[in-house]
Structure formats: C-alpha cells, structure tokens
Amino acid sequence: MEAIAAGFWGFLVSLLTAMAFVSLASIPLQIAMIVIGAKYKDDCPVEEMIPIYLIVAGAASLFANCCTCGVKYNQQENDGQTVNPLQALVQFFLFAWFICGNVWIYTNYEPNYTDPSSLGYCHKTLYLFAFWATNSAYILHGFVLVCFCCLGTCTAAAGVAQVV
C-alpha cells in the first residue's frame, strides 16, 4: 500500500511541475495575444470580436498565471479551502471565452486576406495567429492528456508490481 501512495505522490508532484512549466512557458504567447489583438484591433471586419478575443484571452490568462504562481496563503487565511474562488472564476471565464473564440474563429475560416474594403476581410497575421493560438491550445491539452494517462498507467503498473 505504501508503494501505491508513494507512486501517487510522485505522480502528483510530476503533474504540478508540468502545470507550472506550461503556465510559465505560455506567458510569451499570452503577451503576443495582447499585442497582436491590439495592433490589428480594427483590421477584421469579418468578425470584429477576433482581436478582442485575443486581447481578453491574453490578459485573463496572464492574470490566471499570476494567481496560480504568485499568490501565497497563510494557514489562517486558507480556512481549509483547497480551491481559490477567484482562480475558479477566472478559469471558468477563460473556458467560456475560449468557446466563444472558437465560434468566432472557426465560423469565419479562411476570410478574405487581400481586399481590406471587403466585409469578409481579416488581416492575415491577425486571423492566422488567432487560428493557430486556438489550435495550439487543443494540441497542448491533447498532449498533456496523453502524458497524464501514460504517467498514470506507469505509476499504477509500478505500484502493482511492487505489491506483488
């Protein structure tokens, strides 16, 4: 039983380390989202919310990273809570905003990149950045899920092997 508990704690430490690494590694992307959204704010008549999506998603993600990585609690202030309500609210907002961004980006797939006077126009850099930033979120979450499943399987197998 001790081997399973040790394997679980090793798995948990690995998971938390990976989450911290991903949070820190995503900061340049979040800053780029804000910059590109602001730079091309008025350059996407096909869907005016795409640059707003980038700005808000980048800023809210930076805020969420600050909450996750920078907030320290005293035991007296924690009162046994394991989930910070502010972090939960920000994460829920980011999830809902991500879904909205998916709708705005994917329903206007392949806008007109050449005629700025067209209503179907969107600046190529803006649109493709938003498109691939959204796609990269799916790729990253898929990769983390596969790693999580593999690590969990290996941890469980090692725990069972030590028990037998």
Side-chain angles (χ1 to χ4, degrees):
M1 193 61 149
E2 290 178 23
I4 293 173
F8 172 75
W9 286 113
F11 173 72
L12 187 61
V13 167
S14 298
L15 178 65
L16 292 174
T17 302
M19 287 172 52
F21 177 74
V22 168
S23 292
L24 292 174
S26 65
I27 289 174
L29 174 65
Q30 295 158 356
I31 292 170
M33 290 171 78
I34 296 168
V35 169
I36 289 179
K39 182 176 181 179
Y40 300 109
K41 186 178 161 303
D42 298 320
D43 291 339
C44 193
V46 71
E47 180 54 70
E48 294 175 353
M49 288 304 293
I50 290 175
I52 304 300
Y53 163 70
L54 288 176
I55 295 168
V56 172
S61 296
L62 278 175
F63 180 74
N65 279 346
C66 289
C67 286
T68 301
C69 296
V71 176
K72 303 223 184 235
Y73 296 102
N74 292 333
Q75 290 296 340
Q76 298 89 357
E77 293 176 345
N78 195 5
D79 293 335
Q81 281 185 322
T82 56
V83 176
N84 180 348
L86 178 61
Q87 285 178 302
L89 183 65
V90 170
Q91 292 301 326
F92 178 75
F93 171 77
L94 281 170
F95 178 70
W97 193 249
F98 181 73
I99 291 171
C100 293
N102 278 260
V103 171
W104 296 323
I105 291 166
Y106 294 130
T107 57
N108 294 295
Y109 180 67
E110 286 289 70
N112 178 354
Y113 298 128
T114 56
D115 183 13
S117 63
S118 168
L119 290 178
Y121 173 77
C122 192
H123 193 279
K124 189 172 186 174
T125 302
L126 169 68
Y127 185 82
L128 290 178
F129 181 82
F131 181 80
W132 283 108
T134 303
N135 286 343
S136 69
Y138 283 114
I139 292 166
L140 179 65
H141 285 93
F143 178 73
V144 169
L145 181 63
V146 167
C147 290
F148 183 76
C149 290
C150 290
L151 187 59
T153 302
C154 292
T155 302
V160 170
Q162 288 182 356
V163 170
V164 175

